[in-house]
Amino acid sequence: QVQLHQWGAGLLKPWETLSLTCAVYGGSFNEYSWNWIRQPPGKGLEWIGEVSHSGSTNYNPTLKSRVTISGDTSSNQISLKLTSVTAADTALYFCARRKRDHYGTSTWAFDIWGPGTMVNVSS
Amino acid sequence: SYEVTQPPSVSVSPGQTARITCSGDALSKQYTYWYQLKPGQAPVMVIYKDSERPSGIPERFSGSSSGTTVALTISGVQAEDEADYYCQSVDSGGSYVVFGGGTKLTVL
């Protein structure tokens, strides 16, 4: 059973860099694309971006200038860095796996999610 | 930027049918997925590729698609179905993910 564990600093000051890590246990890491998604308090889900098994990345255009997502196949971990945070970046951050269909093709569905990490940005 | 639209809230009595819609120009070209979010829990996918039900999801959950509108239907709603529901798709070019604003399902 694949499980995702997340960790990272939960309290940041404005203009600092958010840094989160997500570890994959119990399943293949290399065959999937791994994503970060967030939910600000009282608001909806927002896709941040992804890193594929090949290391290529794809980001939400609205966050692209501040986001870096990377993957480490040796430790089965992915990381998220978001620079110059503001209060608007306060959110519950999830890592999630893109589902592969029965042909082995990656879909845009997210079938496995981490538990979420709450990040607060406050001066 | 591309957006998909959901109603903010739907209310039904137990045993009734709840229908939550999601509209967007690209939904006729791209699949839609539906997620259930309960407070303090990770999202759970309840509908895959417009209308497929993932393993373990009760049969009362179903999905449909017509043109640029997709719908999640919950038949015989139970108290445990009270949650926020989000539709998710991608832009027409398949470049980036978009979520609807979410619909709060209240079971009266």
Side-chain angles (χ1 to χ4, degrees):
Chain A
Q1 183 76 356
V2 178
Q3 291 188 344
L4 306 183
H5 293 184
Q6 304 178 218
W7 64 89
L11 182 59
L12 297 173
K13 290 183 167 50
W15 301 108
E16 290 186 334
T17 295
L18 180 156
S19 182
L20 298 177
T21 301
C22 173
V24 181
Y25 295 100
S28 174
F29 179 86
N30 292 336
E31 297 175 357
Y32 292 89
S33 290
W34 302 94
N35 289 249
W36 288 97
I37 295 159
R38 69 182 183 179
Q39 183 181 28
K43 296 187 178 181
L45 297 169
E46 179 181 35
W47 178 71
I48 299 170
E50 66 171 356
V51 59
S52 76
H53 56 278
S54 66
S56 63
T57 54
N58 184 23
Y59 299 131
N60 186 324
T62 64
L63 297 169
K64 187 174 183 177
S65 64
R66 298 193 291 130
V67 173
T68 302
I69 297 174
S70 58
D72 183 347
T73 57
S74 65
S75 61
N76 285 7
Q77 294 179 2
I78 62 170
S79 67
L80 167 68
K81 293 191 186 303
L82 181 67
T83 62
S84 303
V85 297
T86 69
D89 296 309
T90 293
L92 183 60
Y93 286 75
F94 295 100
C95 57
R97 186 183 79 171
R98 272 178 63 178
K99 178 180 172 63
R100 293 169 68 90
D101 63 19
H102 53 275
Y103 298 109
T105 303
S106 185
T107 73
W108 282 105
F110 303 110
D111 62 343
I112 305 291
W113 295 67
T117 301
M118 187 64 206
V119 177
N120 286 284
V121 180
S122 174
S123 56
Chain B
S1 63
Y2 177 57
E3 294 182 353
V4 292
T5 304
Q6 300 179 232
S9 63
V10 168
S11 299
V12 296
S13 298
Q16 289 188 329
T17 296
R19 185 171 186 267
I20 301 171
T21 58
C22 177
S23 300
D25 290 342
L27 297 187
S28 60
K29 307 178 186 69
Q30 301 286 356
Y31 286 120
T32 301
Y33 311 94
W34 289 92
Y35 301 89
Q36 177 191 69
L37 266 77
K38 294 182 177 180
Q41 298 182 20
V44 174
M45 184 169 54
V46 295
I47 292 293
Y48 169 66
K49 285 188 176 179
D50 292 346
S51 59
E52 296 182 30
R53 197 171 49 250
S55 174
I57 301 302
E59 291 184 6
R60 62 180 182 274
F61 289 86
S62 64
S64 61
S65 176
S66 178
T68 58
T69 299
V70 296
L72 168 69
T73 300
I74 310 172
S75 305
V77 166
Q78 301 182 6
E80 66 195 49
D81 300 329
E82 185 164 283
D84 294 330
Y85 291 86
Y86 289 85
C87 63
Q88 176 246 313
S89 188
V90 294
D91 70 302
S92 57
S95 299
Y96 64 88
V97 172
V98 60
F99 287 95
T103 299
K104 182 175 182 60
L105 174 65
T106 300
V107 182
L108 301 170

